Amino acid sequence: MAKPTFYITTPIYYPSDKLHIGHTYCTVATDAIARYKRLIGCDVMFLTGTDEHGQKIEEKAKEAGVTPKQFVDRIVTGEGGILDLWKLMNISNDRFVRTTDDYHVLSVQRIFKKMYENGDIYKGAYKGKYCTPCESFWTESQLVDGKCPDCGRPVHDAEEEAYFFRLSKYAKPVQELLETGTFLEPASRVNEMINNFIKPGLEDLCVSRTSFTWGIPVDFDPGHVVYVWVDALSNYITAMGYLNDTYHDYEHYWPAHHIVGKEIVRFHSIIWPAMLMSLGEPLPKKVYGHGWLVIDGGKMSKSKGNVVDPYLLAEKFGVDALRFFLLRTFPFGSDGNFSNELLIGTINSDLANAFGNLVSRTTAMVEKYFGGTLPAEREAGEFDEDLRQLQVETVKKYQTQMEAFQLHLALDEVFKLIGRANKYIDETAPWILAKDENKKTRLATVLYNLLEAIRTSLILLTPFMPETCEKAFAQIGADETARGWETAGCYGVLPLQVSVRKGETLFPRIDMAKMLDELEKAGKKPEAEPAKPVLPDVTIDQFAACDMRVVKILKCEAVKKSEKLLRFELDDGSGTPRQILSGIHKFYEPEQLVGKKVLAILNLPPRKMMGLDSNGMLLSAVKESTDQEGKKKEELHLMIVSDDVPVGAQLC
Ligand code: ME8
């Protein structure tokens, strides 16, 4: 029989900056649901990705002196970028969509055209307040004291030609969809959408822009780019092959379950279904609006400087402990106040004490009393049935909660079982049974029952802590056949003469005060380096002996097999191109530099690097800093000179 399909998505994140713990929270939650669905036997498609167009990215790239594509590439695929973060966090996405991918661009153009051709997109005029120096449109409500919110200068009434989507036409069917009660969850968000957006009247939506270019062009009207939300929302179907030939899974997987933060529920539960209605396509199965992680009640944001770095936490606590903490602590639909104390406290109480201890005590007793392998004989006793019963119930309750995306409640159930198993140890007191030769069979039964309770817990914890559960399964002697969903809650799955392997401590206890101190140090911004003392005097003749000139970069390429080196061909004014090698690849891509004029010293003795001659040296300013671990870092900035300065001009 074909497996049931299950398609789940995260928002596609903006690569305008490094992602923080809030993004990690959403992706880890979605990952746990995807892993759970695979575990119970579904054919899962898990999609995440990046939303790479729009004015903000265009501006950030400009500030950084690179093209928008170079800018997003660095954040998405560069070292320590988004792909690296998901790899680190053990995210099991099946596909990754970037809105700059060719197939997506093509599909979005076709989607836009389809809605235009069926009369749902029309050309009109966008009226607003315009700030000429910023080249930006604002609505009345965005103005600050009637002035541009960015630069504070006066604005004037202006109009620009734009395309509009007939969102108003879909108000009624969208309201009906919201009222089904199953489409948008948690239920509280339904009223919010209806009262705040639908009831006041849905206005048609402006879906094209002409004020910037970093977007998907409207192919039948160049000069207009598609509104970034129309572009972004479409990812959920373009990445399955809707209106393109790159993928062919649209019929198979669509519709999806969308996991999104509460601030973008409006786009997903009003605009997105209206777009799909216009396209005549099936509507999403569910939109789930999760809460925010906040710090002292306020949302994390780069501009507030209060973001929490997932890399740092994963490094200090381990990936699984971090994944677990995020999903165990905060009810998925509500906001949660993040703090390092809470994180350490949860790891210590749930993972080190309750869970880790159960595994280590049980395996240690099997080793101590039976040399690691249990004998086959059994003798039932008091408390056994109670523990066994709870396993069966836990699996059922866990499943109900997981199906409702109530991840913290699902974990509550598992921890009730873990707590019950720890209590069973106290009730049966294996150390007393061990003192009596006649009670060895009973002792073996107690330990076997504990191993079975642990085995069930591990199956249920796998979606949350995949790596740890793998290790713990090995420690309790559970092979592949004893790890499957169908065996959760069953009794007698482990071999009667099961052998355990006491391994590393799964979660060592953390010293709260010491760790808080470490985190504080690591999180502190590196202090400005003191200025270096000026070097001893040189004579004017010594200075004049250095032949430093303006050179133009004719060619620039990476040196094979070298991470650092770039090879430059330079016009130094002599008529013969000069070759110089420079170790600045970490800071510049070759295509950024071609055509630029820079400073070089030409009369240093030639040097060979990676078998190539370097005849001089490009001059750079060195920015020294200390990173979070206290390591010294150097950043090089080439001395780029204005284009007006002629090639060959000497420094004097
Ligand atoms: O909105 N707590 O991208 P984005 C919890 N590109 N979750 C948080 C969070 C926090 N403090 N901060 C961010 C966009 N998130 C659009 C989406 S989808 C077609 C386009 C999570 O980079 C949360 O899931 O701003 C939120 O909705 C998402 O990151 C926003 O990411």
Side-chain angles (χ1 to χ4, degrees):
M1 212 178 66
K3 291 176 166 184
T5 55
F6 181 81
Y7 177 21
I8 191 159
T9 67
T10 69
I12 50 169
Y13 305 108
Y14 292 126
S16 50
D17 233 319
K18 276 191 142 189
L19 299 190
H20 58 65
I21 199 76
H23 305 103
T24 308
Y25 172 56
C26 177
T27 309
V28 163
T30 311
D31 184 62
I33 299 170
R35 284 176 183 271
Y36 156 74
K37 287 285 180 179
R38 285 191 204 104
L39 181 69
I40 65 167
C42 293
D43 169 1
V44 172
M45 168 56 70
F46 170 13
L47 176 73
T48 186
T50 39
D51 181 2
E52 306 190 354
H53 292 123
Q55 196 167 7
K56 191 167 163 200
I57 304 242
E58 193 179 78
E59 280 166 8
K60 285 230 158 192
K62 210 168 157 196
E63 271 168 34
V66 294
T67 66
K69 184 67 169 68
Q70 286 169 336
F71 182 83
V72 293
D73 279 351
R74 211 177 278 175
I75 294 187
V76 179
T77 60
E79 201 184 323
I82 296 178
L83 289 178
D84 276 0
L85 178 62
W86 298 153
K87 202 165 156 202
L88 171 75
M89 293 308 301
N90 212 349
I91 302 302
S92 64
N93 57 301
D94 299 288
R95 211 161 277 172
F96 190 93
V97 55
R98 300 182 60 181
T99 56
T100 50
D101 287 336
D102 289 345
Y103 72 85
H104 173 82
V105 171
L106 180 71
S107 284
V108 168
Q109 288 179 324
R110 289 175 172 169
I111 287 170
F112 196 90
K113 200 162 183 186
K114 201 168 164 184
M115 297 196 290
Y116 178 72
E117 281 171 354
N118 69 19
D120 277 341
I121 286 182
Y122 62 92
K123 204 173 201 176
Y126 182 75
K127 292 191 181 116
K129 302 282 176 192
Y130 195 71
C131 172
T132 313
C134 294
E135 291 182 47
S136 294
F137 262 103
W138 304 104
T139 60
E140 193 79 51
S141 62
Q142 287 173 314
L143 302 180
V144 176
D145 299 331
K147 304 231 166 88
C148 170
D150 266 5
C151 71
R153 279 180 276 210
V155 292
H156 62 272
D157 289 320
E159 260 188 44
E160 88 177 12
E161 197 184 67
Y163 287 92
F164 286 81
F165 173 63
R166 291 188 200 282
L167 189 57
S168 54
K169 174 176 155 189
Y170 293 99
K172 196 158 172 276
V174 168
Q175 179 164 354
E176 282 162 8
L177 176 69
L178 290 167
E179 283 168 347
T180 58
T182 51
F183 170 72
L184 173 60
E185 285 183 358
S188 57
R189 312 236 184 262
V190 174
N191 288 339
E192 200 183 313
M193 289 303 119
I194 294 179
N195 294 338
N196 297 355
F197 300 107
I198 309 248
K199 287 218 172 126
L202 275 188
E203 284 180 22
D204 288 353
L205 179 73
C206 181
V207 289
S208 75
R209 297 288 187 269
T210 49
S211 50
F212 62 92
T213 54
W214 180 238
I216 299 181
V218 174
D219 57 347
F220 56 87
D221 196 349
H224 289 261
V225 296
V226 176
Y227 173 46
V228 71
W229 272 100
V230 169
D231 166 357
L233 288 162
S234 303
N235 89 86
Y236 301 128
I237 53 178
T238 66
M240 293 302 111
Y242 182 72
L243 300 185
N244 69 64
D245 272 332
T246 300
Y247 294 111
H248 303 94
D249 310 299
Y250 178 66
E251 304 291 331
H252 187 64
Y253 287 114
W254 181 256
H257 297 73
H258 299 306
I259 307 290
V260 300
K262 64 178 186 180
E263 82 290 2
I264 55 173
V265 161
R266 180 166 73 93
F267 296 96
H268 285 80
S269 67
I270 297 177
I271 298 173
W272 179 222
M275 281 172 63
L276 289 162
M277 286 174 194
S278 167
L279 293 168
E281 296 301 328
L283 304 177
K285 286 216 169 118
K286 192 175 294 298
V287 173
Y288 193 97
H290 69 78
W292 285 345
L293 294 191
V294 296
I295 291 188
D296 303 327
K299 192 173 184 236
M300 269 173 235
S301 79
K302 278 270 166 190
S303 51
K304 282 197 216 155
N306 65 349
V307 294
V308 176
D309 177 9
Y311 273 94
L312 175 66
L313 298 183
E315 183 204 309
K316 295 277 178 202
F317 301 103
V319 170
D320 277 354
L322 180 56
R323 287 175 60 111
F324 173 82
F325 162 73
L326 291 172
L327 305 181
R328 164 82 164 138
T329 316
F330 309 114
F332 195 43
S334 331
D335 288 355
N337 212 342
F338 178 93
S339 75
N340 289 327
E341 287 85 344
L342 192 57
L343 169 58
I344 299 168
T346 308
I347 295 176
N348 280 346
S349 69
D350 286 351
L351 295 181
N353 286 359
F355 169 68
N357 249 345
L358 175 66
V359 178
S360 68
R361 276 164 94 191
T362 307
T363 50
M365 289 192 285
V366 178
E367 294 229 322
K368 184 167 172 199
Y369 303 136
F370 296 103
T373 301
L374 290 182
E377 295 71 33
R378 296 286 177 266
E379 182 191 327
E382 210 189 345
F383 311 114
D384 293 8
E385 201 39 45
D386 198 32
L387 180 64
R388 216 168 288 165
Q389 208 43 52
L390 188 65
Q391 286 171 65
V392 178
E393 275 167 32
T394 301
V395 175
K396 282 195 205 133
K397 288 185 179 162
Y398 168 94
Q399 188 162 18
T400 307
Q401 301 297 1
M402 290 301 283
E403 291 295 330
F405 302 163
Q406 294 300 294
L407 309 180
H408 64 296
L409 296 181
L411 284 171
D412 264 358
E413 296 303 332
V414 184
F415 273 76
K416 279 184 209 156
L417 176 60
I418 289 172
R420 181 69 194 85
N422 274 321
K423 190 167 159 223
Y424 179 81
I425 300 184
D426 297 338
E427 289 164 341
T428 53
W431 49 92
I432 297 179
L433 297 174
K435 288 191 183 136
D436 186 343
E437 251 329 286
N438 296 327
K439 296 210 171 130
K440 279 271 161 144
T441 307
R442 176 65 191 142
L443 175 60
T445 309
V446 164
L447 295 178
Y448 184 80
N449 291 346
L450 282 168
L451 290 174
E452 280 290 54
I454 295 173
R455 190 183 61 76
T456 289
S457 310
L458 291 179
I459 295 173
L460 308 185
L461 287 174
T462 297
F464 297 87
M465 301 190 287
E467 252 179 52
T468 305
C469 290
E470 178 102 16
K471 282 186 206 155
F473 273 130
Q475 293 186 2
I476 64 161
D479 63 14
E480 280 305 321
T481 59
R483 299 179 188 188
W485 173 253
E486 56 298 338
T487 72
C490 298
Y491 185 72
V493 176
L494 289 171
L496 281 177
Q497 286 171 291
V498 62
S499 296
V500 304
R501 188 150 41 84
K502 203 173 163 351
E504 60 185 291
T505 305
L506 297 173
F507 295 101
R509 245 195 103 73
I510 299 165
D511 180 329
M512 171 87 79
K514 206 167 135 220
M515 184 54 93
L516 286 176
D517 196 45
E518 266 180 46
L519 288 173
E520 195 181 308
K521 276 195 196 123
K524 264 207 187 126
K525 295 241 168 316
E527 285 177 17
E529 298 286 320
K532 285 202 173 151
V534 172
L535 298 177
D537 291 350
V538 291
T539 64
I540 190 75
D541 292 342
Q542 282 169 319
F543 170 72
C546 301
D547 194 346
M548 291 186 281
R549 300 189 193 201
V550 173
V551 294
K552 183 167 179 173
I553 301 173
L554 302 172
K555 245 182 162 181
C556 175
E557 61 186 21
V559 172
K560 279 197 191 108
K561 295 193 184 150
S562 165
E563 275 180 21
K564 283 196 194 159
L565 284 180
L566 290 178
R567 186 183 78 82
F568 291 88
E569 270 180 43
L570 305 161
D571 177 2
D572 60 8
S574 68
T576 319
R578 171 183 292 265
Q579 174 166 294
I580 289 184
L581 302 179
S582 179
I584 54 171
H585 198 179
K586 238 173 48 191
F587 315 105
Y588 294 96
E589 290 305 324
E591 56 275 19
Q592 278 173 264
L593 296 175
V594 174
K596 295 250 171 359
K597 286 181 179 170
V598 293
L599 292 179
I601 173 160
L602 305 185
N603 60 342
L604 285 178
R607 273 181 68 187
K608 262 211 181 334
M609 298 184 222
M610 301 293 282
L612 298 166
D613 284 327
S614 182
N615 301 305
M617 191 171 91
L618 296 185
L619 300 187
S620 298
V622 190
K623 179 181 163 194
E624 291 186 341
S625 57
T626 313
D627 71 11
Q628 291 179 336
E629 276 103 48
K631 275 190 228 135
K632 291 256 181 230
K633 270 197 336 191
E634 277 189 352
E635 219 175 85
L636 297 183
H637 295 261
L638 275 179
M639 296 287 89
I640 296 177
V641 295
S642 146
D643 220 23
D644 313 336
V645 190
V647 157
Q650 258 179 322
L651 252 69
C652 66

